[in-house]
Amino acid sequence: MQEQLYQEAVALLKQLIETPSFSKEEDQTAELIIAYLDKYQVPTKRLGNNIIAKNKYFDDAKPTLLLNSHHDTVKPNPKYTLDPFKAIEKDGKLFGLGSNDAGGCLVSLIATFIYYYEKENLKYNVMLVASAEEEISGYNGIEAAVNILPPINFAIVGEPTKLQMAVAERGLMVLDCTAQGKAGHAARNEGENAIIKALKDIEWFHSYRFEKVSELLGDSRMTCTVIETENKQHNVVPSSCKYVVDVRLNELYSFEEILDAIRQNVSSEVKPRSTRLRSTSISLDHPIVQAGIAMGKTTYGSPTTSDKALMPFPGLKMGPGDSARSHTADEYIYLHEVEGGINDYIEIVGRVVI
């Protein structure tokens, strides 16, 4: 059966590549996923562009495992030399937008769900959510879907990790900061230059080190990525200077602790865009992690954020492909990675649910 599932997974992945599915515009790929599940007579529920399915013998009295990956993509990198919306097989690779992030993971998890769909007497229910808006951390993606799911005990989140186990990942908080000054004429040394105030704070963001260092994720980091003023003229001392700080925190800090430290040390006004994308981790003693270790898999902390950050239950991030290829020009996944993804997902799930 696994060989058939692999062939079908590759065919589905090709269809997904050739169907544009930018975040918030995933309606056509949602229909493709529903159509594929229909072939196996799997009932589905659609919430926006999220597709939800339960195994045939779902039992409310049992704990539940969620299989999740996303079907939205970023817009193509401008350096593409190939057609991003054409699935091209060459030298054992499948090229196309979303092939690696996260199409290979998604079709492998769908294949795994189908493998277990009709199996009876499992220790866990198995649910599938093919989610939307992951690339923009949208409110109508996995976060909305989780709100209508039955209680979930843990999840496997499909992202390209070379099929190793990301047992922790950094949280993300984006800060909009404003330093206030006083306008004046540059020629007369008037005013109070907001840029100078901003630079003092930016230097603090650059040099400050948080005390708690994670064994999995290292330290928490803050990086200024944008700076601007309202000025259009060279001879006006700016009255305000706005800048953006990208904060990547480890699992040892909460957003509130980070914000408290920042506000004690900078004079700028600091406003977080969101405190939703928290750092997460799953215990090394968790059965799904122990199953992976028994298979010879390694564990690590991921520097990138995924939908796992929006799940109020433990999650293991793992999948075929390589995160280094995500969002790059001429994105691709190796076909053997998809085959390995299906085989490894089926095995790691089986070690827990059978």
Side-chain angles (χ1 to χ4, degrees), residues 126-150:
V126 181
M127 288 199 70
L128 172 72
V129 175
S131 53
E133 297 189 15
E134 190 273 348
E135 295 291 3
I136 59 169
S137 302
Y139 287 91
N140 296 313
I142 191 64
E143 191 172 32
V146 163
N147 286 334
I148 67 165
L149 297 182

Side-chain angles (χ1 to χ4, degrees), residues 96 98-105 160 320-326 331-333 337:
S99 55
N100 179 78
D101 184 15
C105 299
D322 185 346
S323 180
R325 298 183 213 135
S326 300
E331 180 184 350
Y332 67 88
I333 191 167
E337 291 176 322

Side-chain angles (χ1 to χ4, degrees), residues 181-245:
K182 184 179 179 181
H185 198 298
R188 294 194 293 270
N189 197 30
E190 293 175 341
E192 190 177 1
N193 196 325
I195 292 176
I196 303 304
K197 286 189 166 185
L199 288 176
K200 181 180 177 181
D201 287 346
I202 289 169
E203 173 57 29
W204 180 85
F205 279 112
H206 175 70
S207 60
Y208 186 79
R209 295 293 178 267
F210 289 96
E211 181 180 341
K212 291 184 277 190
V213 178
S214 165
E215 291 183 7
L216 288 166
L217 296 170
D219 59 354
S220 296
R221 302 167 187 169
M222 302 182 290
T223 307
C224 179
T225 55
V226 178
I227 185 168
E228 61 182 349
T229 72
E230 76 279 13
N231 278 4
K232 303 299 181 185
Q233 296 176 218
H234 67 87
N235 58 352
V236 178
V237 173
S239 63
S240 68
C241 179
K242 296 181 179 181
Y243 57 99
V244 175
V245 178

Side-chain angles (χ1 to χ4, degrees), residues 90-104:
K90 184 179 180 182
D91 299 328
K93 301 174 183 176
L94 181 61
F95 291 87
L97 183 65
S99 55
N100 179 78
D101 184 15

Side-chain angles (χ1 to χ4, degrees), residues 188-314:
R188 294 194 293 270
N189 197 30
E190 293 175 341
E192 190 177 1
N193 196 325
I195 292 176
I196 303 304
K197 286 189 166 185
L199 288 176
K200 181 180 177 181
D201 287 346
I202 289 169
E203 173 57 29
W204 180 85
F205 279 112
H206 175 70
S207 60
Y208 186 79
R209 295 293 178 267
F210 289 96
E211 181 180 341
K212 291 184 277 190
V213 178
S214 165
E215 291 183 7
L216 288 166
L217 296 170
D219 59 354
S220 296
R221 302 167 187 169
M222 302 182 290
T223 307
C224 179
T225 55
V226 178
I227 185 168
E228 61 182 349
T229 72
E230 76 279 13
N231 278 4
K232 303 299 181 185
Q233 296 176 218
H234 67 87
N235 58 352
V236 178
V237 173
S239 63
S240 68
C241 179
K242 296 181 179 181
Y243 57 99
V244 175
V245 178
D246 179 294
V247 182
R248 306 280 172 158
L249 64 159
N250 63 32
E251 80 281 13
L252 304 179
Y253 285 97
S254 68
F255 289 122
E256 291 73 21
E257 289 175 298
I258 297 287
L259 283 168
D260 185 57
I262 291 169
R263 286 170 173 153
Q264 288 183 33
N265 286 278
V266 303
S267 61
S268 300
E269 179 185 23
V270 176
K271 292 183 178 179
R273 294 182 185 176
S274 167
T275 54
R276 296 160 60 234
L277 301 177
R278 58 194 173 83
S279 178
T280 61
S281 62
I282 185 171
S283 170
L284 296 181
D285 294 327
H286 194 283
I288 195 69
V289 178
Q290 285 297 305
I293 291 171
M295 292 167 62
K297 296 194 174 297
T298 59
T299 60
Y300 73 101
S302 171
T304 58
T305 300
S306 72
D307 271 346
K308 192 163 86 76
L310 298 171
M311 296 177 179
F313 40 78

